[in-house]
């Protein structure tokens, strides 16, 4: 897409701090990092979100995320790692080009990527199981 900033970055039209690049992806440092080393995996082809990206490309993105997490953990000496992928504005997606956040975690970093656990009630559980299994058929 001609107006997509992530397409321009992934395509090399806008300079970035590139950590990795291949035919399908570019991995860059995030300009608004949650922690030291926060990076983004950007496909070079435009997909708005997880719903649009082909399964083969989604699988490649996850394999790359694993590889990058291992390299970044070794290089940066972080204490843990988050891999985050948001879909839709309500879920925190701000750039509508599929991307994965690679967030090195450090003891005491205050990145705040957590939530307060709720309670799964039996009737809600049964409803969700029925609806999702039906949607998968």
């Amino acid at each position: 897409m001609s107006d997509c900033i992530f397409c321009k970055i992934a395509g090399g039209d806008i300079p970035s701090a590139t950590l990795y690049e291949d035919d399908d992806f570019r991995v860059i440092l995030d300009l608004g990092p949650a922690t030291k080393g926060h990076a983004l995996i950007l496909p070079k082809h435009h997909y708005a979100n997880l719903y649009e990206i082909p399964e083969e490309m989604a699988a490649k993105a996850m394999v790359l995320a694993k590889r990058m997490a291992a390299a970044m953990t070794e290089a940066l000496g972080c204490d843990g790692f988050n891999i985050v992928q948001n879909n839709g504005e309500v879920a925190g997606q701000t750039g509508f080009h599929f991307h994965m956040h690679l967030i090195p975690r450090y003891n005491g970093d205050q990145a705040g990527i957590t939530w307060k656990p709720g309670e799964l009630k039996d009737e809600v559980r049964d409803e969700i199981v029925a609806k999702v299994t039906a949607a998968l058929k």
Side-chain angles (χ1 to χ4, degrees):
M1 293 184 62
S2 62
D3 61 337
C4 175
I5 187 100
F6 284 162
C7 283
K8 292 175 183 176
I9 295 168
D13 299 327
I14 295 176
S16 62
T18 299
L19 300 176
Y20 173 85
E21 181 178 10
D22 64 23
D23 291 341
D24 297 315
F25 299 96
R26 182 182 297 261
V27 180
I28 65 166
L29 289 177
D30 193 310
L31 292 179
T35 65
K36 179 182 176 183
H38 179 171
L40 302 175
I41 295 177
L42 302 174
K44 290 186 175 180
H45 184 3
H46 184 82
Y47 310 103
N49 51 43
L50 182 66
Y51 309 113
E52 289 187 8
I53 191 169
E55 288 182 6
E56 179 182 315
M57 287 299 291
K60 285 182 177 182
M62 184 53 83
V63 170
L64 178 55
K66 179 184 185 301
R67 181 176 177 206
M68 292 301 303
M72 293 170 73
T73 297
E74 180 182 332
L76 300 173
C78 56
D79 302 305
F81 214 93
N82 287 116
I83 298 173
V84 178
Q85 202 283 309
N86 302 318
N87 297 281
E89 189 174 341
V90 71
Q93 185 178 14
T94 56
F96 294 91
H97 177 111
F98 175 91
H99 59 285
M100 296 175 75
H101 293 264
L102 304 172
I103 306 173
R105 298 303 304 271
Y106 305 91
N107 286 325
D109 65 23
Q110 304 291 314
I113 304 171
T114 60
W115 56 87
K116 183 179 177 187
E119 178 185 345
L120 180 61
K121 298 188 182 292
D122 292 347
E123 62 275 6
V124 174
R125 177 202 62 214
D126 295 345
E127 175 190 358
I128 294 168
V129 169
K131 287 181 176 180
V132 173
T133 55
L136 287 169
K137 293 179 181 176

